[in-house]
């Protein structure tokens, strides 16, 4: 299997209160294509920092991240489709304007596919985003992100803050749209909801990988759901 | 989306569910099976997991893959009969175990079954 993302000896530190704080110290992990991977860890474990590093929003202090053979930058942005935790869509723009914006920005954006999904949900393209409910806005954003034919999808809390029916829709959309050449990294706290679509889980604790395993392996070995196993490992 | 138990491997549960569909006649011998992606969507699981479930069924000789026409339920009616018998036996063993745990003797259990059957 081909490693699409390779993270080698990654260290990331920041300064505060006149001391150096390590988020990651010689962190190593890689992800192969064709998988949906859950990035799971408690608050403050380093998940978000890792995602920001992969997207080039932060730079490693030491070590490197290679995505499809490149360090995060222009080349990787062309192949990485990123759903941030907070929306960056402009509330005043309409859905159609956002479609045009994505088409301009990303060569791999499949506008037809996005429009089809919007239509299936009965979302009016002429509607300004600010007139949509929170759940609908999140769906629009996910549709935009999943309509790119990217190699890497990084989804940061894609189902937080939407109702269970919308969650099901979002989960189905993720399965429908990724392909065997791509990898989906999904960071979330809502493990139960995503468990059935994950191939692999990664547990991160204090900036370290404490588990990288297939979902069914965890179930087979521990006779527990990932959610139950997570609660056991990270019990406070 | 299919109902899945939390503490057992997902692929096994999916394989069992398809076996049940074959057992009940929902899928007949020689019937075409939907594509991995379609099934994965229907079940709400990852396509790789669905693939693994189907491979498991292939290994057991319950479904067959053709290079050109995709997957079908086996034409081998004998195999399907075996599957049905096997599943029936498992259910009965389960039932008997639970009844014994509740302290029932074999004769009592049979009596219950006769009564239930009479009421139908």
């Amino acid at each position: 299997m081909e490693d699409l993302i390779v993270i080698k000896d990654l260290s990331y530190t920041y300064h505060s209160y006149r001391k150096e704080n390590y988020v990651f110290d010689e962190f190593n992990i890689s992800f192969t294509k064709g998988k949906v991977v859950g990035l799971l860890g408690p608050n403050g474990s380093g998940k978000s920092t890792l995602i920001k590093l992969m997207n080039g929003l932060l730079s490693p202090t030491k070590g490197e991240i290679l995505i499809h053979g490149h360090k995060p930058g222009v080349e990787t942005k062309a192949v990485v489709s990123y759903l941030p935790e907070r929306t960056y869509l402009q509330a005043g723009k309409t859905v159609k304007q956002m479609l045009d914006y994505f088409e301009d920005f990303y060569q791999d954006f499949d506008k037809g596919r996005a429009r089809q999904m919007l239509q299936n949900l009965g979302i009016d393209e002429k509607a300004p985003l600010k007139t949509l409910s929170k759940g609908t806005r999140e769906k629009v954003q996910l549709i935009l992100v999943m309509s790119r034919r990217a190699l890497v999808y990084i989804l940061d809390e894609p189902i937080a803050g939407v109702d269970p029916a919308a969650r099901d829709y979002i989960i189905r959309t993720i399965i429908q749209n990724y392909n065997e050449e791509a990898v989906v990294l999904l960071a979330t706290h809502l493990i139960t909801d995503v468990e059935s679509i994950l191939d692999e889980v990664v547990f991160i604790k204090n900036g370290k990988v404490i588990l990288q395993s297939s979902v069914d392996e965890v179930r087979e070995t521990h006779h527990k759901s990932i959610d139950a196993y997570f609660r056991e490992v990270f019990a406070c | 989306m299919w109902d899945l138990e939390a503490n057992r491997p997902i692929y096994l549960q999916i394989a069992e569910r398809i076996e049940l569909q074959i057992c009940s006649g929902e899928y007949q011998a020689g019937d075409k099976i939907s594509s991995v992606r379609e099934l994965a969507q229907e079940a709400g699981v990852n396509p790789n997991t669905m693939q693994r479930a189907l491979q498991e069924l292939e290994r057991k000789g319950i479904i067959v893959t053709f290079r050109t026409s995709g997957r079908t339920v086996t034409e081998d009616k004998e195999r399907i009969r075996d599957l049905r018998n096997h599943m029936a036996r498992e259910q009965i063993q389960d039932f008997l175990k639970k009844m014994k745990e509740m302290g029932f003797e074999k004769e009592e259990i049979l009596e219950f079954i006769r009564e239930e059957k009479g009421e139908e």
Side-chain angles (χ1 to χ4, degrees), chain A residues 34-58:
Chain A
K35 293 207 168 155
V36 181
V37 183
L39 282 183
L40 314 175
N43 298 318
S45 58
K47 280 182 318 233
S48 291
T49 307
L50 184 64
I51 286 173
K52 285 178 187 154
L53 285 160
M54 286 193 279
N55 282 295
L57 300 173
L58 297 171

Side-chain angles (χ1 to χ4, degrees), chain B residues 39-51:
Chain B
L39 282 173
Q41 262 170 51
E42 192 195 315
V45 302
N46 185 297
N48 294 323
T49 309
M50 184 55 76
Q51 178 85 19

Side-chain angles (χ1 to χ4, degrees), chain A residues 34 176 196-197 199 216 219, chain B residues 5-6 8 10 41 44 46 48:
Chain A
Q176 260 166 43
S196 62
I197 67 159
D199 285 295
D216 276 345
R219 287 173 172 239
Chain B
E5 290 165 41
R8 292 197 304 132
I10 297 169
Q41 262 170 51
N46 185 297
N48 294 323

Side-chain angles (χ1 to χ4, degrees), chain A residues 25-41:
Chain A
D25 191 10
E26 309 211 331
F27 182 88
N28 289 286
I29 198 165
S30 43
F31 300 106
T32 51
K33 64 182 188 179
K35 293 207 168 155
V36 181
V37 183
L39 282 183
L40 314 175

Side-chain angles (χ1 to χ4, degrees), chain B residues 95-115:
Chain B
F95 164 74
L96 287 177
K97 193 172 149 234
K98 277 183 200 143
M99 291 300 275
K100 276 179 193 147
E101 276 169 12
M102 285 190 274
F104 288 103
E105 297 297 332
K106 207 167 189 175
E107 267 316 305
E108 278 179 292
I109 298 170
L110 283 170
E111 188 56 36
F112 270 118
I113 292 173
R114 270 193 289 272
E115 265 174 41

Side-chain angles (χ1 to χ4, degrees), chain A residues 2-7 27-33 35-40 50 183-185 199-205 208-218 221-222 226 229 233-234:
Chain A
E2 202 181 315
D3 285 341
L4 210 45
I5 303 176
V6 179
I7 298 178
F27 182 88
N28 289 286
I29 198 165
S30 43
F31 300 106
T32 51
K33 64 182 188 179
K35 293 207 168 155
V36 181
V37 183
L39 282 183
L40 314 175
L50 184 64
V183 62
V184 180
L185 301 184
D199 285 295
E200 201 175 281
V201 283
V202 174
F203 281 9
I204 298 176
K205 190 179 189 176
K208 297 219 163 11
V209 176
I210 59 166
L211 173 83
Q212 183 173 18
S213 160
S214 100
V215 168
D216 276 345
E217 227 171 272
V218 172
T221 327
H222 302 280
I226 303 297
Y229 188 56
V233 172
F234 293 107

